[in-house]
Amino acid sequence: MSAAPLPDPASVTVRAPAKINVYLGVGKVRDDGFHPLETVYQAVSLYDDVTVTSAEEWSVTTMVGGPHVDHLAIPDDATNIAIRAGKALAAHHGIDRAASIEVNKNIPVAGGMAGGSADAAATLVALDRLWALETPDEDLLAIAAELGSDVPFALVGGTATGTGRGEIVTPLEDNGSWWWVVIFNEEGLSTPSVYGAYDLLEEGDHDYRIRPEMLDALRSPQPSGLDVFLYNDLETAAFYLRPDLERTAEAALECGAIMTLLSGSGPTMLAFANDAEDARLIASRLGGRGYERTAVVHGPVAGAHVVAYQ
Ligand code: C5P
């Protein structure tokens, strides 16, 4: 008996992960204003869910999906990155269609975890499925790169290197399950301001390449070989702008973190833990010291993927 063809979905929901940079090497600013990067991205278990439905006009609504998002400084007009993603996909296919986009936000805004990029990547995948466009992966990655430096990684997920300005993504073999305590911050920190401070402090003139030994450590499932390679070139600039972040790092070490790291351009800080149990212990100790806004996450996890057709 042949199965009846499935009806077109009325709406599609896609989940996209937050990212951290377990390594972020930054070179001297390029002529186009971007900085050359060598980074190791990891997708972690904190997600935004994006639901798209065909509509007459483009619109976006953002809902607070979890305890880590309490201020919604997110535009609800055409400047919103999810709407820009939808329009870019429609333009790529030469179609005149629009959608309403609903973002259920868990990833902190302006936190250095690429929440906006996750929403853009999720919108691309959701509309591709809703409208049965069958966009080749390389086209989706190219549209993603136009939208922002770390949108391609939100499509790919897992653990991957990022080169160029971060948009050239190459998946890495990662056999670990790495545990992190994410320490959120009330106040956002803009990415351009951190790169600006980086230039001001003349931090770019050094060898910022990923060491091959780091890739070996990712291949090994033992958390103990990776800690020595965790590094973020933007940390000095972020600590310069926000000295409180350095105190957060010190507190995390005192609470048992193996190592701490600025997440992307901050202000979110990461504490690296041995395993899930240690991570929960560190989070609970941090809570006792007034750092109550934390989440225990693990990586790597999948990139943007469909979770519901309705
Ligand atoms: O590409 P994206 O829109 O995420 O970049 C936001 C800003 O971050 C850029 O306008 C630039 O100021 C800074 N940036 C940079 N070098 C990169 C990525 C981002 O200077 N590789």
Side-chain angles (χ1 to χ4, degrees):
M1 198 174 71
S2 66
L6 289 173
D8 285 345
S11 66
V12 176
T13 302
V14 168
R15 176 163 292 178
K19 65 89 187 151
I20 60 175
N21 303 78
V22 292
Y23 177 87
L24 181 57
V26 183
K28 266 193 174 170
V29 66
R30 305 190 313 204
D31 290 345
D32 64 0
F34 285 92
H35 293 72
L37 304 184
E38 279 218 8
T39 187
V40 176
Y41 291 115
Q42 186 168 90
V44 295
S45 56
L46 183 68
Y47 308 95
D48 281 359
D49 284 349
V50 173
T51 301
V52 296
T53 313
S54 286
E56 293 291 314
E57 306 272 343
W58 287 103
S59 67
V60 62
T61 325
T62 306
M63 294 177 310
V64 176
H68 319 306
V69 184
D70 62 359
H71 66 109
L72 288 180
I74 303 168
D76 60 0
D77 57 17
T79 63
N80 183 291
I81 192 164
I83 292 196
R84 289 199 285 118
K87 286 183 171 173
L89 186 70
H92 176 79
H93 289 279
I95 54 175
D96 185 18
R97 296 186 76 162
S100 74
I101 304 167
E102 199 179 279
V103 181
N104 202 8
K105 261 209 128 8
N106 251 309
I107 307 173
V109 179
M113 300 190 81
S117 301
D119 301 343
T123 303
L124 289 177
V125 174
L127 287 176
D128 180 70
R129 304 299 185 273
L130 181 72
W131 293 336
L133 298 172
E134 297 185 15
T135 318
D137 284 354
E138 62 187 68
D139 291 12
L140 273 186
L141 288 167
I143 300 167
E146 288 289 312
L147 292 162
S149 304
D150 40 27
V151 183
F153 176 69
L155 287 173
V156 174
T159 302
T161 55
T163 52
R165 60 181 166 85
E167 87 285 17
I168 304 165
V169 175
T170 310
L172 283 175
E173 185 184 345
D174 182 349
N175 293 311
S177 182
W178 315 102
W179 288 86
W180 309 90
V181 182
V182 181
I183 310 163
F184 300 104
N185 207 284
E186 301 286 318
E187 221 181 301
L189 187 56
S190 100
T191 302
S193 72
V194 177
Y195 276 105
Y198 184 80
D199 296 339
L200 200 74
L201 298 170
E202 296 183 23
E203 296 274 326
D205 208 2
H206 64 297
D207 180 2
Y208 58 91
R209 284 174 299 182
I210 301 163
R211 286 175 44 199
E213 296 88 340
M214 180 171 196
L215 307 185
D216 295 339
L218 284 166
R219 266 184 230 117
S220 150
Q222 303 300 328
S224 54
L226 187 64
D227 50 332
V228 293
F229 299 110
L230 301 174
Y231 178 74
N232 185 337
D233 254 340
L234 294 179
E235 205 167 79
T236 311
F239 287 0
Y240 169 79
L241 294 173
R242 294 281 304 278
D244 59 301
L245 299 180
E246 197 163 2
R247 289 195 291 279
T248 306
E250 283 160 13
L253 288 172
E254 286 160 17
C255 290
I258 304 177
M259 177 73 187
T260 63
L261 196 65
L262 181 79
S263 178
S265 58
T268 303
M269 293 294 301
L270 303 166
F272 184 51
N274 268 314
D275 51 29
E277 203 183 327
D278 263 15
R280 286 188 200 107
L281 200 62
I282 294 164
S284 122
R285 289 182 186 139
L286 278 166
R289 296 187 47 166
Y291 296 95
E292 279 149 12
R293 286 161 47 96
T294 58
V296 171
V297 303
H298 62 90
V301 299
H305 59 282
V306 174
V307 286
Y309 287 101
Q310 274 128 9

